[in-house]
Amino acid sequence: MGYINRSVKLLEIATLADAQTVVGDEVLLPNRVRAIGLQANFVRAGGGTTCKVYLQTSLDGGTTWFDIACFAFATTSLRKLSSIKHDIATTPNTTASDAALTDNTVLDGIIGDRIRIKAAVVGTYTGASSLSVSACIN
């Protein structure tokens, strides 16, 4: 069995501005994804309140999306890393959420056939505040 290793930019917001919710493009996943490594770079130049970044997946071809990772940022520039693995059991009958997963957590065990990023920005960030999210799919 061969392994895949694919890096992809999931979201790039060069200038964060007013409060907004941004949904990135869908990325179709190959069969047998074992893990997704995730990196979010948040640069705060000024202003703003919170910026939450959700990695979402779908089990029904993109009709319904739910969170499998959440990064929470506020007023400090940070780079955060996380990974989601398919071979860790979730709690039975886990409730799916859309942009509501607990801050700085992951939901291991469920990786659908596609992923996307949803970012929720509260407050008005100023200057050269930015956000980028990349993944390495294995």
Side-chain angles (χ1 to χ4, degrees), residues 22-72:
V22 178
V23 177
D25 294 333
E26 294 180 24
V27 175
L28 295 177
L29 299 176
N31 291 330
R32 292 180 244 149
V33 170
R34 297 173 46 229
I36 300 171
L38 196 61
Q39 175 177 293
N41 294 318
F42 174 76
V43 176
R44 180 202 180 246
T49 305
T50 63
C51 178
K52 294 191 182 181
V53 176
Y54 301 93
L55 177 66
Q56 298 186 316
T57 194
S58 177
L59 298 174
D60 58 9
T63 300
T64 307
W65 292 90
F66 59 93
D67 309 329
I68 56 174
C70 174
F71 292 128

Side-chain angles (χ1 to χ4, degrees), residues 6-136:
R6 177 177 161 213
S7 294
V8 62
K9 179 80 69 172
L10 296 174
L11 184 69
E12 181 84 41
I13 303 174
T15 304
L16 290 174
D18 298 331
Q20 59 185 310
T21 299
V22 178
V23 177
D25 294 333
E26 294 180 24
V27 175
L28 295 177
L29 299 176
N31 291 330
R32 292 180 244 149
V33 170
R34 297 173 46 229
I36 300 171
L38 196 61
Q39 175 177 293
N41 294 318
F42 174 76
V43 176
R44 180 202 180 246
T49 305
T50 63
C51 178
K52 294 191 182 181
V53 176
Y54 301 93
L55 177 66
Q56 298 186 316
T57 194
S58 177
L59 298 174
D60 58 9
T63 300
T64 307
W65 292 90
F66 59 93
D67 309 329
I68 56 174
C70 174
F71 292 128
F73 300 101
T75 56
T76 303
S77 295
L78 291 170
R79 175 180 298 147
K80 292 188 177 185
L81 307 169
S82 195
S83 67
I84 298 87
K85 296 163 282 310
H86 87 285
D87 59 352
I88 296 177
T90 60
T91 304
N93 298 318
T94 299
T95 300
S97 64
D98 181 356
L101 190 66
T102 302
D103 290 356
N104 301 311
T105 61
V106 299
L107 178 61
D108 279 313
I110 302 173
I111 299 174
D113 69 341
R114 62 197 68 215
I115 56 173
R116 73 177 186 186
I117 291 293
K118 181 181 266 190
V121 179
V122 177
T124 301
Y125 287 93
T126 59
S129 298
S130 64
L131 173 67
S132 66
V133 184
S134 300
C136 185

